[in-house]
Amino acid sequence: MLGGSVWIALLRHIMGAMLMMGVFFLLDRPRFSVKRAAVYYCVFGVLAAAAFGVWYLIDFEVFVRCSGFAAIFVVGIFCILMSADFLYLSIYKLTLGFYLLSVMVFLGIDGSRIWFGGSIWVDLALRAVAETVILLFIIKSVRPRFQAGRDFLSAVMDLPSAITLVFILMIAGVGTYWPDGHELSINRVVRIAVMLVMTGTIQWMTFRTYLYRGKEYYCRMEKELMELNELLLRRQLRLMKAEELEVRNVGKFCDNVTVSKILSVYKTYADEENIQIEVRADLNEDLKIREFDIVAILVSIFENAIYECCSAGEETRRINMILQQNGNKVVLLCQNTCAPTRKEEGCPEHWKDKAESIQKLVRHYNGEIDFSIENRMHVSKILLDISAQGTQ
């Protein structure tokens, strides 16, 4: 390490915090508004840099050995708490930010020592140039692709991918921050450079792999949702033919036209099957949910409930459906009195596939979904958070 006064150390810490949190912030979907999140990032960055500066002043030796790895946890926890993204996606952004921080530190320290005799000012200048180039590259090249593929990455990233990314992060950290003497030698510099190139390549390949896996998954899911939409259209055609092209049950269930039509169709379908159905809906006209998504969710829930009622063979068959909007929260509750027993839970296999797609849709809206059997009633609960949809 090049050392220097506590003010030089503080400047290095601020530059490192700016890079790591800047990369995360540029790729993130903040939990708060962009302006408010930017203020939080700036305040935390200054406080963290000041705390590391005090540590540098109190115990230089321990700081040199442990500060790099400590930055991972301190900055990482803050960034993850600030993000509204899926945890594993946040881990990817965190590892990318730390990797680029490692590259900046390596270029600053070893570039200064090799070509400029270990000048502190050259170290700072090289770090500033590297940080500027990295952030511009993130803004111009990486951010557009990342934002476009956010949903694809969220769909397929899981625990194994997170473990792989953390392992890559540790490789980069070991190469740059390993607590040894940091002697200047060509072998050491070449070894670290090769290690950084390899970990950067793995980062890039990981991004591409999960991006294309996510695209493949979404294509498959869109196909399944199209099948649900086709099923709804068949229901509508059946009703139109039965009534000689006269639409029945045109009562308005709620202000949202799409939802009201779906509820009308399935109320008529349930009546045809001699299933008692009660529907209560209160949704705004400008619901911030894609029509395709709300159609898929409602069709899946209704079809499964009607299937169970038709298959039960019981005299009393009833479905209760409640749709309620409270601010940015949308709640769906469906109860049917013909829940299968555990031995009879053999719902057609394709409905299990559709349920998986619906779970992904609910996750896209930062929601929750729960299926349970209570007192011989099959209860489906869905909560959607649409607060972030209007800003995307």
Side-chain angles (χ1 to χ4, degrees):
M1 292 294 182
L2 299 180
S5 68
V6 67
W7 301 109
I8 296 295
L10 179 62
L11 182 57
R12 287 198 187 105
H13 302 151
I14 291 176
M15 293 172 65
M18 286 176 57
L19 177 63
M20 192 170 176
M21 292 193 295
V23 170
F24 193 97
F25 181 74
L26 289 172
L27 302 180
D28 191 36
R29 181 173 59 189
R31 188 180 299 274
F32 309 101
S33 66
V34 175
K35 184 177 180 180
R36 185 179 175 186
V39 173
Y40 287 159
Y41 271 83
C42 291
V43 172
F44 175 82
V46 172
L47 293 177
F52 274 72
V54 173
W55 183 10
Y56 176 88
L57 188 63
I58 294 175
D59 196 333
F60 176 78
E61 294 296 329
V62 175
F63 175 85
V64 170
R65 294 177 180 276
C66 304
S67 62
F69 293 106
I72 304 175
F73 299 101
V74 174
V75 177
I77 292 173
F78 170 79
C79 290
I80 289 175
L81 291 176
M82 289 291 295
S83 176
D85 274 331
F86 195 44
L87 174 62
Y88 300 134
L89 188 59
S90 295
I91 291 176
Y92 175 80
K93 291 178 293 187
L94 183 63
T95 57
L96 177 61
F98 182 77
Y99 167 74
L100 295 174
L101 174 63
S102 300
V103 172
M104 184 188 75
V105 171
F106 169 72
L107 292 176
I109 293 177
D110 289 290
S112 174
R113 293 200 301 176
I114 291 175
W115 290 297
F116 300 96
S119 170
I120 292 176
W121 303 111
V122 172
D123 170 38
L124 295 175
L126 289 175
R127 292 188 190 216
V129 171
E131 181 168 346
T132 302
V133 172
I134 288 171
L135 291 178
L136 288 176
F137 176 73
I138 293 292
I139 294 172
K140 296 291 185 180
S141 181
V142 178
R143 188 171 187 267
R145 295 194 63 183
F146 191 89
Q147 297 289 4
R150 178 189 305 279
D151 293 335
F152 303 136
L153 294 169
S154 298
V156 295
M157 284 192 131
D158 50 14
L159 181 60
S161 65
I163 293 175
T164 302
L165 291 170
V166 171
F167 181 70
I168 296 170
L169 180 147
M170 296 307 296
I171 292 177
V174 165
T176 307
Y177 298 106
W178 185 256
D180 58 12
H182 295 275
E183 296 84 1
L184 178 62
S185 67
I186 298 299
N187 288 337
R188 178 182 176 277
V189 171
V190 171
R191 185 178 71 251
I192 295 178
V194 171
M195 187 180 298
L196 289 175
V197 170
M198 291 177 62
T199 52
T201 302
I202 296 173
Q203 281 266 4
W204 173 245
M205 293 305 298
T206 301
F207 172 78
R208 288 178 59 87
T209 299
Y210 282 98
L211 179 64
Y212 287 111
R213 278 187 59 190
K215 288 183 177 180
E216 178 187 4
Y217 175 84
Y218 261 76
C219 287
R220 186 172 69 251
M221 190 177 72
E222 290 290 339
K223 176 178 177 293
E224 294 173 354
L225 296 180
M226 286 292 291
E227 292 174 357
L228 289 173
N229 201 36
E230 180 184 354
L231 181 59
L232 175 61
L233 291 176
R234 287 204 303 266
R235 299 294 187 206
Q236 290 175 314
L237 289 174
R238 174 185 171 188
L239 293 175
M240 292 173 66
K241 291 179 181 178
E243 287 295 310
E244 297 180 354
L245 304 182
E246 291 184 4
V247 180
R248 298 184 298 172
N249 288 328
V250 294
K252 185 177 179 181
F253 286 92
C254 62
D255 293 335
N256 188 278
V257 177
T258 300
V259 173
S260 187
K261 288 182 178 179
I262 295 173
L263 296 177
S264 178
V265 168
Y266 275 95
K267 186 176 188 312
T268 303
Y269 177 35
D271 290 341
E272 284 188 341
E273 298 293 339
N274 295 320
I275 299 173
Q276 300 178 35
I277 183 168
E278 180 179 348
V279 178
R280 286 181 289 165
D282 182 14
L283 297 180
N284 296 338
E285 183 178 0
D286 58 342
L287 188 64
K288 295 177 182 178
I289 301 177
R290 288 195 315 166
E291 288 189 352
F292 198 75
D293 295 344
I294 193 65
V295 166
I297 292 173
L298 289 176
V299 170
S300 178
I301 296 298
F302 266 121
E303 288 288 339
N304 192 49
I306 293 176
Y307 171 84
E308 290 180 349
C309 287
C310 292
S311 302
E314 298 182 5
E315 293 184 3
T316 302
R317 300 181 297 177
R318 184 178 182 84
I319 297 175
N320 297 323
M321 173 72 76
I322 299 175
L323 278 166
Q324 184 76 35
Q325 181 175 359
N326 185 7
N328 290 321
K329 306 292 184 181
V330 175
V331 178
L332 184 151
L333 174 65
C334 180
Q335 301 171 314
N336 79 76
T337 58
C338 300
T341 63
R342 291 196 174 275
K343 294 182 179 180
E344 298 171 344
E345 283 183 347
C347 176
E349 191 65 29
H350 66 276
W351 281 118
K352 295 181 181 179
D353 297 335
K354 301 300 182 295
E356 180 182 355
S357 298
I358 300 307
Q359 289 173 355
K360 294 294 183 181
L361 275 180
V362 172
R363 186 180 300 170
H364 170 73
Y365 290 95
N366 299 319
E368 300 176 4
I369 185 169
D370 178 67
F371 301 105
S372 60
I373 297 178
E374 303 173 4
N375 300 323
R376 283 287 293 167
M377 294 186 68
H378 194 169
V379 182
S380 302
K381 302 175 185 177
I382 295 178
L383 173 66
L384 303 178
D385 182 357
I386 57 176
S387 57
Q389 299 305 313
T391 60
Q392 292 182 11

